[in-house]
Every structure is written in structure tokens, then in C-alpha cells.
Amino acid sequence: MLAVKVPKKEAEKTRRKLLELGVLAKEYSIKREGDFVLFPVTKPVGGFEVIETEFERLEKRPHSYREVVEVPEKLRPLLPSSFDIIGDIAIIELPEELMEYGKVIGDAILRVHRHIKAVFAKGSKVEGEYRVRELIHLAGEKRTETLHRENGIRLKLDVAKVYFSPRLATERMRVFERTKPGEVVFDMFAGVGPYSILLSRKAKLVFACDINPWAVRYLEENIRLNRANNVVPILGDVKKVAGRVKADRVIMNLPKFADRFLRDAMLSVKLGGVIHYYGFGPEEDLYSEHEAKIKAVARELGLIVEFIDRRKVRPYAPRQFNIAIDFKVE
Ligand SMILES: C[S@@+](CC[C@H](N)C(=O)[O-])C[C@H]1O[C@@H](n2cnc3c(N)ncnc32)[C@H](O)[C@@H]1O
């Protein structure tokens, strides 16, 4: 094939020029010959010495496990296009028909994503008070503890023992951006601390409560890992804590049942403070039901609420969304 031949010292300048001209054949590897460098090109280029030579083809790295996995052709359309990555663990949601190919799919993920060391399939929905799900091991290490990096913090956690979703990273950053320096924050359903530890970078004090002993164990470890010494971990039912804490900002990240804790949240926020409420809502009417409940509880307590923001956080199920409502209590 055609090659542009230049002395070694002109190699970098030439590479940039060939890229700019769009003639560099990127699927072949550049080679050295003595004091010269040879660039594979797709057509003759004026102003350079052009010769004929052989080049080695570069191995094309697949971008998705779907390019390398072997499953019956008719099942291919069912292969999920994405999966969650928590630290070095992948968690994929497979339809029933693909479960018997779980090992093959897991191995393909390990082959394409070299930083992933273990692959699990979702074995159930997120369930129970601790909001955890069953996991089925597909491939790689049989390990469920990992270290996840998000928004500049490090979080150690066990994906089988605690709730954690990497899909909430943007939402957590949004809440962080709204937090003002010196605030007192109450994270009612803290899990391993992704909100608490992030917000502790701005807040004066963060009270972080969870009922799952494993979550609080990891929360304590994450406080140490991130030197977040202004986070106070609390193990237990938040109903026993509510009202004893007075915060400028309250986070209610328990979308399935948050409405049951509205009274507790409102008793824990200072007048003029903000509550971040999460819930699930149908596409056709995302917020009304939640806002009606918020207003009703406020009325019972003789408080006034001012809605300051509402947004879709992420899709949850077909035609269902995880939503957020931010409101002020006066
Ligand atoms: C959806 S997870 C959110 C965890 C964390 N905020 C995050 O973003 O990863 C809800 C958490 O609330 C905890 N939880 C459920 N009921 C609770 C209660 N009554 N009191 C305190 N924590 C509770 C669960 O153990 C779970 O860790």
C-alpha cells in the first residue's frame, strides 16, 4: 500500500498534517525503518516522498460485548445495549430467554471491558426495607465488594448487601450544586453515603441515617476513606431520629416509600429549609399525586410549602420515571 516516508524528527508534524488532510489509514500501524518513519496513507500526498510498502493491520477492538458474544441469531435483538458498572463489577438485566447464555454473555463483557472483574445478572427487583436485589453470578470473580468512584469521592460497598445505583450520580451532583456552604444536611436514607459524603464537602454537618447495618458499616468506612469527618452516621429507623435533627436541607432518597416519611422530613427541616423528595410517577402525570401528598402533610403540620423545582431523574420502568421534587418549608 501507499506510504509517506519522512525522517524521524518530522514524524509528529507529519502525522498531524496527514490527519488534518484525512489521508492517514488509521486501521494500519505506523512503522519505523532506520531513521525514517512510514505512514500508511489512502492516496498519494503532494509535498511528501510517497513509496509502496506493506503495513500490519491493527487489531480492531470491539466497543460492545454484543460484537463478540455468541448467542443464537434469533436472540440477538434481546441482548441489552447497556449494563450498570459499580467499581469493577458489572450488573446486567437479562430477559428470561437469555439466562441460559449468562456465562457466555458474562465472559464477553469481561473480554471487552478489561477493567471489569466480575459480572452478575439481576435476579430480582430491588426489594424490602433495605432496597437490595438478588444477584446471579455469571462470570469472573465471585466477589460482590468493590470500590466505586463517583463525583470525586470513593465509595466502598457490597453490591449484594446494600442499595447503590451509579445512575444517580448526576442527580447527586445537582443536589450538591444547590447546597450552600455551612448548611446542616439530613440524609434520611443515606445508604453507603453517596449524597452525604459529597455534600460534606460544602456542608458544616451531615446527619446520615440508614436502617441497614451493612450500609452503615460501609458508610463509616467511606467516611474514613474520604476523610469526611463532618458526617455523623446513624444506624436505625429514621422515624426515631426525625424531629431531633434540625437541618437546612433534607434528602429523602427512598422513592418507593418517601411519602410515608414526609411528616418526619418536615419535622426535621428548619423554617426556610429545603426538602429533596424522590418518588416514582407515570409518564402522563409525573408529579400531581406526590405534590398533593406533600401539601396535605404540610397542612396537617400548619406549614406552607413552596415548590422550587421538579424533574425526571431517570426512567424506572416502561412509562414510569424516578422523579425529584424540591420544596421549601415556611
Ligand atoms: C434507595 S436507597 C438510597 C441509598 C442512598 N441514598 C443512595 O443514593 O445510594 C434507600 C435506603 O433507605 C434505607 N431505609 C429504608 N427504610 C429506612 C428507614 N425506615 N430508616 C432509615 N433508612 C431506611 C435502606 O436501607 C436503603 O439503604
Side-chain angles (χ1 to χ4, degrees):
M1 76 181 286
L2 291 177
V4 161
K5 183 176 178 184
V6 293
K8 234 168 37 185
K9 59 179 189 320
E10 286 170 26
E12 186 46 31
K13 198 173 75 187
T14 307
R15 191 185 66 85
R16 271 190 257 129
K17 183 74 193 166
L18 296 175
L19 274 175
E20 197 185 299
L21 294 170
V23 294
L24 189 66
K26 291 188 220 148
E27 60 279 27
Y28 293 92
S29 69
I30 298 165
K31 66 179 183 183
R32 278 173 69 165
E33 255 179 26
D35 287 338
F36 291 90
V37 175
L38 276 68
F39 292 95
V41 286
T42 50
K43 55 182 176 197
V45 198
F48 291 103
E49 180 186 350
V50 177
I51 60 160
E52 216 14 270
T53 186
E54 293 300 310
F55 286 99
E56 236 175 77
R57 215 174 213 295
L58 288 170
E59 199 189 320
K60 193 170 158 257
R61 279 197 39 80
H63 291 295
S64 163
Y65 77 97
R66 292 191 296 179
E67 293 168 41
V68 300
V69 73
E70 286 181 21
V71 294
E73 241 4 82
K74 67 175 194 308
L75 295 181
R76 240 171 217 290
L78 298 179
L79 287 167
S81 58
S82 67
F83 45 83
D84 283 346
I85 300 177
I86 304 178
D88 58 2
I89 297 176
I91 301 176
I92 190 163
E93 185 165 358
L94 291 181
E96 196 62 44
E97 300 90 316
L98 282 174
M99 276 315 279
E100 64 177 292
Y101 301 95
K103 167 102 176 86
V104 180
I105 293 169
D107 283 336
I109 291 175
L110 293 176
R111 228 177 314 139
V112 173
H113 302 272
R114 299 283 162 82
H115 64 290
I116 292 175
K117 300 289 178 236
V119 184
F120 292 86
K122 293 180 180 175
S124 72
K125 288 205 161 104
V126 166
E127 289 166 336
E129 198 171 39
Y130 296 172
R131 313 306 298 145
V132 289
R133 68 164 93 243
E134 208 181 291
L135 294 173
I136 301 162
H137 180 255
L138 298 182
E141 295 176 30
K142 279 196 174 138
R143 161 172 63 81
T144 48
E145 188 180 78
T146 190
L147 185 71
H148 183 75
R149 287 183 165 76
E150 172 185 292
N151 294 328
I153 62 173
R154 289 183 297 161
L155 297 164
K156 198 164 171 188
L157 65 121
D158 188 319
V159 291
K161 295 194 171 96
V162 300
Y163 174 93
F164 183 80
S165 171
R167 299 185 198 191
L168 296 176
T170 310
E171 172 59 20
R172 294 192 261 261
M173 186 40 85
R174 211 173 274 149
V175 173
F176 173 76
E177 278 160 3
R178 285 164 200 200
T179 304
K180 297 186 190 76
E183 283 186 355
V184 174
V185 172
F186 183 24
D187 188 359
M188 292 175 76
F189 310 101
V192 302
Y195 279 94
S196 292
I197 291 173
L198 181 62
L199 267 56
S200 77
R201 303 255 148 114
K202 259 197 203 166
K204 179 170 74 187
L205 196 59
V206 180
F207 293 101
C209 180
D210 206 285
I211 201 164
N212 177 352
W214 281 104
V216 176
R217 219 196 90 177
Y218 282 108
L219 169 66
E220 286 168 347
E221 193 157 346
N222 292 329
I223 290 171
R224 280 194 293 277
L225 257 178
N226 294 279
R227 295 184 222 278
N229 299 324
N230 53 343
V231 176
V232 181
I234 304 165
L235 170 61
D237 185 346
V238 76
K239 284 203 174 281
K240 299 200 177 131
V241 183
R244 286 157 64 193
V245 164
K246 285 286 177 201
D248 301 288
R249 193 169 296 276
V250 175
I251 302 161
M252 303 185 70
N253 186 215
L254 179 63
K256 186 90 179 164
F257 307 119
D259 54 339
R260 300 182 191 168
F261 294 87
L262 272 167
R263 191 186 153 83
D264 309 283
M266 290 192 205
L267 289 175
S268 307
V269 73
K270 292 181 193 167
L271 287 185
V274 172
I275 298 181
H276 298 277
Y277 172 95
Y278 295 94
F280 296 123
E283 194 172 37
E284 59 280 8
D285 188 4
L286 293 166
Y287 308 105
S288 304
E289 201 188 320
H290 297 290
E291 287 180 351
K293 281 183 187 161
I294 292 169
K295 278 193 228 156
V297 176
R299 211 174 307 120
E300 266 172 45
L301 294 172
L303 297 167
I304 297 167
V305 292
E306 183 198 335
F307 293 107
I308 48 182
D309 192 17
R310 54 190 204 174
R311 58 193 171 272
K312 283 183 194 167
V313 175
R314 58 171 177 152
Y316 167 65
R319 303 171 59 77
Q320 289 267 329
F321 283 87
N322 181 183
I323 55 107
I325 300 173
D326 300 342
F327 61 95
K328 223 179 222 184
V329 177
E330 313 270 11

